[in-house]
Amino acid sequence: MSTETDRSDPTDASEPAFGQVSRAKDVAFRWLTLAAALLGIVALAALLANVLVDALSLFDPEYGPWINWEFLTNPPSFSDPDDAGFFPAIVGSVALMLLIALITFPLGVGAAIYLEEYASDGPLTRFIQLNIANLAGVPSVVYGLLGLGLFVSLLNLGFGTLLVAGFTVSLLILPIVIISAQEAIRSVPDSQRQASYGMGATKWQTIRNVVLPRAMPGILTGTILALGRAIGETAPLIMIGAPTAVFGVPNSLFSKISAMPMQIFTWADLPEMEFQYGVVAAGVVTLLVILLSINSIAIVIRNRYQRRNGQ
Amino acid sequence: MSAPDFARDNVRSARGAAFKALFALCAFLSILTTVAIVVTLLYDAVDFFAVVSPVEFFTGTQWTPANEVYGVWPLISGTLIITFGSAAIALPIGLLTAIYLSEYASDRRRAYLKPALEVLAGVPTVVYGYFALVYVTPALDRIVPIGTFNALSASIMVGIMTIPMVSSISEDAMSAVPDSLRQASYGLGATKFTVSTSVVVPAALSGILSSYILALSRAIGETMIVAIAAGQTPRMADLTDPGGMFLESVQTMTAAMVQIGASDVIGESTEYKSLFAVGLTLFVITFAMNLISEWVSSRYREVYR
């Protein structure tokens, strides 16, 4: 058994001498919990290392790295793995993300302002709040059905178009955006609102000039993280009939679009080893790199804000 | 004050009221979304139940849309297998992780570990599905003979994905346990192990339970991992062979929806409408679980506010 003990632990001194057995149990339990905390992270790291090795084809140099300039700029292929590219899917994902940002940001911030600044603490507000929390837990595939039933069948906006995909995934991440924007608005100290009112400002002026500027970094962080979730969503796109292959880039809201996870899903179905271990791995690495960049932007915004607050 | 000032105040308050109405509309949109989900699901599900009797749907043990046989139990059975499998991973590991973060970890370690854990929930599920199919299944195959598509590797991945859900909500609940309870226990000579397991965990039980229900609900609704890695074989679980049922392909409710959604089935066919019947079933189950989780967790919040 390890002899490591936590020196900062105030219980060490007070532990009775007869606690030898329970001390061993204590140390064992400490290591058990640490192992549990690291297990998921280590497993994910191992899988990521695997996929990176396959995408770069480190142990099969004659196959060449699968992730290269051609892969990033070519249209997809389902017959020739060397020719398969990711470009329409990358552009589709970025276009989708911009559209989702345009929809969810005003709606999410508006709803958060209402709930935090205007709404009284009555049963109706609590109902809306509970409803938002529940919507955040509705499976994404159900949102896909909503998109299929509402936007495709009822409003006839077309199978797998950019507009339908944008609306559907927007509804999916809207609860997350609202909840994080609410937290950001709630963290603005009330004294600043009172100071603004004291100067004779109206409620709306206070919100616009005091609350929103103060909450904006938090709102942006939350929204960007939610957008990161949005570009990973696949199931809603399948349900609204996003095509399995798109060879060009979208040029209107009614263009049929693909997206990175959708392209990965269709490639992963192919039996050839070159696709399974090469092309799909390259797609996964590209998706994760873009996702990581988006999340780092959110972290940079949060850190800059925290530093400014600390001063 | 002069009259023009009053006029300007009026304009201001009118503008304020307009903004308030606009923001209220945004908030009510969430209720509209819920209504829209229920209405769209019901709209086609009602058509479906006009053709297939609800009794057959909710009691049938065969799911073969090609033969117009729609019994939902094989799909529920597959969903339950994945849910139990992932729960066996996420619930104990998530709880131990929460205990480590709340009771043992230094502030600095927690500052690194928490975001690292959150990455687990942020990885797109299509990527987890791919990992399960291409890396986990072949690795498992070296230990036990296992199908290309199987419930085990899908369960493992769903489990890993839901660990942060359990750990972060449970940790919040444990952090909310007043320190006086811990100090009282230490004062009686208890070790940290005893304090964690006999004081903190029982005191935070409602929060932990709430995180468990939420994680189960997430596992039930998980789609891409199971669609890619668990396969598309709707079958009833063979309860006499609890080990074997994880080694073979199953189909969950969500995977069945993806299969129909990805096929060319459209419009007026019964198979297309079955999508909405399965979706409605899934929605009702997960919505009920989310409500229960919310209700359970609101209990501990009241106690230790």
Side-chain angles (χ1 to χ4, degrees), chain A residues 73-78 85 87-89 243-250 256 258 263:
Chain A
T73 54
N74 272 6
S77 164
F78 295 88
F87 188 64
T244 49
V246 168
F247 297 96
V249 297
K256 284 185 183 275
S258 182
Q263 187 69 56

Side-chain angles (χ1 to χ4, degrees), chain B residues 39-56:
Chain B
V39 169
T40 29
L41 293 181
L42 273 177
Y43 183 79
D44 281 303
V46 163
D47 275 5
F48 173 80
F49 287 125
V51 180
V52 180
S53 85
V55 177
E56 187 198 327

Side-chain angles (χ1 to χ4, degrees), chain A residues 11 26 54 131 134 276-277, chain B residues 30 34 130 134-135 186 193 290:
Chain A
T11 60
D26 200 33
D54 281 340
N131 184 57
N134 267 313
Q276 290 235 318
Y277 286 91
Chain B
S30 69
T34 308
Y130 170 71
V134 174
Y135 301 120
Y186 286 137
F193 170 76
N290 295 342

Side-chain angles (χ1 to χ4, degrees), chain A residues 11-182:
Chain A
T11 60
D12 271 0
S14 65
E15 233 163 343
F18 59 80
Q20 231 21 60
V21 175
S22 54
R23 166 81 65 96
K25 211 201 280 175
D26 200 33
V27 173
F29 186 67
R30 181 201 169 89
W31 286 103
L32 180 69
T33 56
L34 177 62
L38 292 176
L39 188 84
I41 299 168
V42 170
L44 182 65
L47 292 166
L48 289 178
N50 255 324
V51 75
L52 197 62
V53 163
D54 281 340
L56 296 174
S57 201
L58 286 183
F59 299 122
D60 285 306
E62 72 264 33
Y63 278 116
W66 290 101
I67 183 161
N68 53 27
W69 188 244
E70 279 73 43
F71 177 76
L72 295 176
T73 54
N74 272 6
S77 164
F78 295 88
S79 50
D80 182 5
D82 289 309
D83 212 29
F86 213 36
F87 188 64
I90 296 174
V91 177
S93 275
V94 172
L96 191 57
M97 204 173 67
L98 292 177
L99 182 60
I100 293 168
L102 281 177
I103 298 170
T104 55
F105 187 76
L107 288 179
V109 176
I113 291 175
Y114 176 77
L115 290 170
E116 289 300 314
E117 301 288 331
Y118 288 103
S120 52
D121 194 22
L124 179 65
T125 311
R126 275 205 297 277
F127 177 70
I128 296 177
Q129 204 70 67
L130 180 66
N131 184 57
I132 290 173
N134 267 313
L135 280 179
V138 171
S140 61
V141 68
V142 171
Y143 279 99
L145 277 186
L146 170 67
L148 178 65
L150 186 63
F151 301 126
V152 178
S153 297
L154 194 66
L155 300 178
N156 223 350
L157 298 174
F159 273 102
T161 58
L162 179 57
L163 197 63
V164 169
F167 281 152
T168 305
V169 183
S170 291
L171 288 182
L172 165 63
I173 66 162
L174 199 53
I176 313 171
V177 175
I178 295 176
I179 291 168
S180 63
Q182 274 185 279

